[in-house]
Amino acid sequence: MEEPRKRARPGRAPAPPGRTSRPRQAEVARLAGVSQATVSLVLGAKKQGSAISAETRQKVLDAARSLGYVPDPAARRLAAARNDLLGVFSFTATFPTDVQHSYYPFLVGVEQEAAARGYDLVLFTGSSSGGAGASGPDALSRVRLADGCLFLGRHAPSEELRRLVEDGFPVVHIGRRDELEGLAWVGADYVSASHEVVDRLAALGHRRIVLVREDDEAPASTDREHGFLKGLEQAGLPAGPEAVFRTADPARTLTPQRLRRWLDEGVTAFVAEETDTGNAWRALRAATAEAGLDCPRDLSLALLGSPPPDLDGETVPAGFDIPRPQLGAAAVRLLAALVAGEEAAEPLVACPYRPGVTAGPPPAGP
């Protein structure tokens, strides 16, 4: 006697052979060639989905059917039970509430925008997940107490963020993060701002400029370097490998002797990137002072970012300012849209040029 065939569950295609895990919205988005927000709107049958074209809607439905996707009922219950809380996760051991901390202005913008939109904030730190460097499948699980979460930090854990995104949990990173597909982020336009700093130095007459940066692949650092090199190229200035000095330990490698060698080779201006530590800028300033050089008489200096909060107000460097409060507010707007299931995007935030007092014309030749 022939055994009866098992019937497929209504509305669900058979799972692909060998598949053991539930398909995620991120996979549907990749297959359909659309954003995860679009998938959420179509499959969630939200009213905002009416703005999506019939062709796009069909692509999403076809992709979901081919993968055997069905909404996670637990996730849907959580989405329906919004509690008007937004999380803010800082990858530090304690939450940065000191007004001199570089993260503090971000938090001002976050708090003001969240209050204007009727949200309360839940603050998380690395210590709430087992330490500032904690990782693993449950390292960020506590953020799910909120409706969505903002992440703030130069080196956020990629795998943990990817799990949240693949689960459809609303996440926004403050700072560019292109390497994680589906992760929403807001960022500053470091490329254009760094380009402008080079333009200003070139207009003063500088023909050899060196960038000092930390030796890592943080997106903010690569954006600054990209804009710096573009500025050199468009100004017709040397833009080869010798134009960028990467160092893991600026205080040790950026010596007065190294600085004088550059000057002997014809370099007249130096640009440092801003980071959480400010190490590159501090080392450059220290080497200038130890070498007995006067700035801007003997050389010009510029900083790609806002000066450290404890910097002497009489030596504000040339460069650009990072609009941290505006970035925090933009991140809240984007996260609120994702929580509501709406498609949204925030443009890059412009960084205004800061004239400062550390840049001038190059020294006259002998």
Side-chain angles (χ1 to χ4, degrees), residues 4-92:
R5 296 180 181 176
K6 292 183 178 180
R7 296 176 59 187
R9 293 170 64 182
R12 180 176 182 180
R19 178 96 195 197
T20 59
S21 61
R22 177 193 298 272
R24 301 178 184 275
Q25 283 193 3
E27 297 173 74
V28 177
R30 282 194 292 271
L31 184 59
V34 300
S35 70
Q36 191 168 330
T38 297
V39 172
S40 178
L41 290 174
V42 172
L43 300 182
K46 294 184 173 70
K47 62 182 181 180
Q48 292 91 349
S50 59
I52 298 173
S53 70
E55 180 183 1
T56 298
R57 183 184 299 276
Q58 193 59 49
K59 278 185 181 177
V60 172
L61 294 174
D62 290 344
R65 191 174 297 109
S66 69
L67 291 172
Y69 174 85
V70 290
D72 182 345
R76 296 188 72 169
R77 285 196 299 273
L78 286 172
R82 286 172 48 189
N83 51 19
D84 295 328
L85 292 177
L86 298 182
V88 182
F89 195 107
S90 166
F91 293 92
T92 53

Side-chain angles (χ1 to χ4, degrees), residues 292-318:
L293 298 168
D294 178 79
C295 171
R297 186 191 64 200
D298 300 321
L299 77 172
S300 287
L301 303 177
L303 176 62
L304 303 183
S306 302
D310 59 349
L311 189 70
D312 181 357
E314 296 181 358
T315 56
V316 174

